[in-house]
Amino acid sequence: MDWKLEGSAWKTESHVPLGQEGLLEDAGEDGVSESFQLLQIDVECESRESGSLPTGSATWCSKNVQRKQKHWEKIVAAKKSKRKQEKERRKANRAENPGICPQHSKRFLKALTRERLLEAKHTGPRLCIDLSMTDHMSKKELSRLAGQIRRLYGSNKKADKPFWICLAGFSRDSPLYEECLRMNDGFSSYVLDITEEDCFSLFPLKTLVYLTPDSEHALEDVDVNKIYILGGLVDESIQKKVTFQKAREHSVQTARLPIQEYMIRRQNGRNYHSEILALNQVFDILSTYFETRNWPEALKKGVSSGKGYVLQNSVD
């Protein structure tokens, strides 16, 4: 409908349905008013057919929205009913089996884990991660290293006999620290030691054992009186003997995992065989051996098939 202003009067140009021309002509000056009255009657009729509009501050919703709302209310009611049934089931189970201990809360389990980790500082074996070689690592390599630290710490929390972990040569204003905060939830509350000091100045040199795949000596046992060092190095260019040379510079004992003693090379299409493992893989081997005192079982857990090695008694 187009509105045109001429002088002080409003006039309309509209398409009037057939059969209503006479109504407007007879109406004269009140024609516009009567037309709106007819429209108002039509709207009220449609409103009564579709249901009355809500009163007050309520907002009118389409049938589709109302249907979705009812569906959601059914889902919420079903979840509440399921939780109630599960609560009653656990209550009945405790009544029938009074000797079974109730399930511990997450807060209790978290406190128990923290207590075990703190106890390892005095009674358990100690593991020092040398992070003094990260200055020339790329952002991608730092991200991979941060992920390995996260998985290593996660494995240590689950261990029956956890290690006490120290992150040495680790500055809180370094890119690696920022990457650990970004990638690892709760990193600032990890139960471990963080220090900027070098691992060779933290402990007596005679107590250190630097684990490196380039060592000539195979690790025979995990001694609680020793501090085992892992090089925190993710180097995609694969610079050889970096950790081994660093250990020799400080006259520190070195050792390698006994992969050659318990595993054999497996034929593969790429003819690829490597003893270089990620931090968390080396830790899984050390942790499993410390609990089981079984090297084959420990190596099976930490050395993936992609490294090209299998246990000697494995059958393809």
Side-chain angles (χ1 to χ4, degrees):
M1 180 178 293
D2 299 328
W3 294 88
K4 293 183 179 179
L5 180 62
E6 296 181 0
S8 61
W10 289 89
K11 292 186 179 181
T12 61
E13 293 180 3
S14 61
H15 300 284
V16 181
L18 186 63
Q20 295 186 6
E21 296 90 341
L23 292 174
L24 292 178
E25 292 176 356
D26 296 339
E29 295 180 355
D30 297 332
V32 175
S33 177
E34 292 180 1
S35 297
F36 278 111
Q37 291 177 1
L38 292 174
L39 292 173
Q40 185 178 4
I41 294 173
D42 292 339
V43 171
E44 290 177 352
C45 292
E46 291 179 359
S47 298
R48 283 193 296 267
E49 291 176 358
S50 60
S52 60
L53 293 173
T55 59
S57 60
T59 304
W60 177 81
C61 299
S62 66
K63 289 184 177 180
N64 188 37
V65 173
Q66 292 176 0
R67 185 174 64 254
K68 290 182 178 180
Q69 180 66 24
K70 290 181 180 179
H71 179 66
W72 174 249
E73 290 174 354
K74 289 181 180 179
I75 293 177
V76 173
K79 288 184 177 180
K80 288 183 178 178
S81 177
K82 186 177 180 179
R83 285 197 296 267
K84 183 177 180 180
Q85 292 176 2
E86 181 65 18
K87 185 177 180 180
E88 292 177 351
R89 186 191 65 80
R90 290 197 299 265
K91 185 177 180 180
N93 188 39
R94 288 195 297 267
E96 295 177 358
N97 304 280
I100 299 179
C101 297
Q103 185 178 4
H104 296 299
S105 65
K106 290 184 179 180
R107 179 179 297 180
F108 176 82
L109 294 176
K110 186 176 181 179
L112 185 63
T113 299
R114 181 180 179 86
E115 183 180 346
R116 288 193 301 107
L117 292 175
L118 290 174
E119 184 180 356
K121 186 173 185 178
H122 306 287
T123 61
R126 287 169 288 180
L127 182 72
C128 182
I129 301 177
D130 181 8
L131 298 175
S132 62
M133 300 173 286
T134 61
D135 293 340
H136 303 290
M137 291 171 58
S138 66
K139 179 68 177 298
K140 181 180 179 181
E141 293 169 344
L142 291 176
S143 297
R144 291 179 56 189
L145 180 57
Q148 293 177 16
I149 293 174
R150 181 187 68 246
R151 289 188 287 270
L152 185 153
Y153 183 75
S155 297
N156 195 44
K157 287 200 305 180
K158 298 176 183 178
D160 294 333
K161 300 178 180 180
F163 282 58
W164 179 251
I165 298 173
C166 175
L167 305 181
F170 194 24
S171 174
R172 294 181 184 271
D173 59 356
S174 64
L176 177 60
Y177 190 86
E178 295 178 0
E179 196 66 14
C180 287
L181 289 175
R182 185 184 70 85
M183 294 187 60
N184 307 348
D185 293 336
F187 177 76
S188 58
S189 61
Y190 277 11
V191 185
L192 45 71
D193 281 335
I194 296 179
T195 177
E196 296 184 9
E197 292 188 58
D198 191 271
C199 57
F200 301 106
S201 60
L202 283 173
F203 312 100
L205 296 181
K206 63 180 181 179
T207 64
L208 300 179
V209 179
Y210 211 120
L211 298 178
T212 169
D214 300 307
S215 176
E216 299 177 354
H217 308 286
L219 183 64
E220 298 180 357
D221 196 6
V222 175
D223 188 352
V224 294
N225 297 316
K226 296 288 186 180
I227 296 95
Y228 297 93
I229 304 175
L230 295 181
L233 180 65
V234 177
D235 186 3
E236 295 187 349
S237 63
I238 312 297
Q239 299 181 22
K240 295 184 178 180
K241 296 187 177 182
V242 175
T243 54
F244 179 71
Q245 291 175 358
K246 189 172 184 180
R248 289 190 62 180
E249 290 175 1
H250 294 83
S251 301
V252 168
Q253 179 185 354
T254 62
R256 58 174 173 79
L257 295 175
I259 296 177
Q260 300 175 11
E261 283 70 22
Y262 294 93
M263 308 187 81
I264 58 176
R265 293 190 174 190
R266 181 179 185 178
Q267 298 296 328
N268 55 70
R270 296 185 302 163
N271 192 28
Y272 173 78
H273 304 88
S274 176
E275 297 183 35
I276 300 176
L277 306 176
L279 286 178
N280 55 293
Q281 293 174 328
V282 177
F283 176 77
D284 286 343
I285 294 173
L286 293 176
S287 178
T288 303
Y289 173 77
F290 188 66
E291 292 180 6
T292 64
R293 299 294 175 176
N294 186 314
W295 278 119
E297 183 176 345
L299 292 170
K300 183 179 179 180
K301 183 174 183 179
V303 181
S304 63
S305 58
K307 294 296 181 179
Y309 285 90
V310 294
L311 294 175
Q312 293 179 358
N313 57 353
S314 297
V315 179
D316 295 339

